[in-house]
Amino acid sequence: MAKVRYRDGRTLTDLQQIQKALKPLSVQVAHWPVTAPAALVDRPALSADEKEAVLRELDGYFERLQAEAGYQSRDLIVLHPQVEGLDGMLAKFDRCHTHDDDEVRYVIDGEGVFGFVLPDGDQLHLTVEAGEYINVPAGAEHWFYLTEKRRIKAVRYFTGTEGWVPHYTQTEVQPLAAAS
């Protein structure tokens, strides 16, 4: 279940409230059922053939995005603690940045956190889990990190071939208040 945490400790778990909170940024969040085989989704690591099998099972979503918004390609990213160079990969995205293209993901396992800078300068953290689709529009100031589980499987959807190149901003990520 998606969850928004504000820096002052407020939390939202209702999807409609989360969508409303993200509306000023034009960030889209939705719940899509995970229809890929559990035997593959539950594995920590997947071969290239297994990744492609998962993607084929989920291609209904890809076809919809192709028709609605012109998406051209997709891949499946599988991150877990045994991935070589994981910390270096994640360090590219854990500070405030933007992209020239929408960052679109559909999480099928694990969880991650997107942080956002609101128009008033405040910040919030959105945790996404299995079954959640997110579209971070081009130009939205954000960052990403994994939760303490350090595991996520997500389909990434692209309109071009260059992927999401981060353009770092000068905004500092502010810490969340301690959970009550």
Side-chain angles (χ1 to χ4, degrees), residues 54-93:
V54 169
L55 289 169
R56 279 193 307 271
E57 287 293 324
L58 300 171
D59 266 350
Y61 298 129
F62 179 47
E63 291 162 4
R64 181 170 44 172
L65 291 171
Q66 283 180 306
E68 292 173 359
Y71 284 85
Q72 299 298 310
S73 63
R74 86 284 192 256
D75 70 8
L76 180 64
I77 188 159
V78 179
L79 300 177
H80 53 83
Q82 289 72 41
V83 169
E84 189 173 325
L86 178 63
D87 291 330
M89 267 188 273
L90 294 172
K92 294 177 187 175
F93 302 105

Side-chain angles (χ1 to χ4, degrees), residues 4-12 118 122-123 176-177:
V4 163
R5 285 197 55 216
Y6 289 91
R7 289 184 38 234
D8 64 8
R10 288 179 294 143
T11 301
L12 303 175
L118 297 169
D122 199 8
Q123 298 179 5
L176 290 170

Side-chain angles (χ1 to χ4, degrees), residues 28-37 41 54-65 71 73-78 102-112 114 128-136 144 152-158 164:
Q28 299 171 26
V29 178
H31 184 79
W32 291 356
V34 178
T35 58
V41 172
V54 169
L55 289 169
R56 279 193 307 271
E57 287 293 324
L58 300 171
D59 266 350
Y61 298 129
F62 179 47
E63 291 162 4
R64 181 170 44 172
L65 291 171
Y71 284 85
S73 63
R74 86 284 192 256
D75 70 8
L76 180 64
I77 188 159
V78 179
D102 294 354
E103 182 172 344
V104 183
R105 296 185 192 196
Y106 168 47
V107 179
I108 63 168
D109 184 48
E111 56 190 25
F114 284 89
V128 290
E129 298 178 344
E132 287 159 348
Y133 162 87
I134 182 169
N135 182 329
V136 178
F144 177 81
I152 196 167
K153 284 188 193 78
V155 181
R156 302 182 303 175
Y157 300 99
F158 304 97
W164 304 315

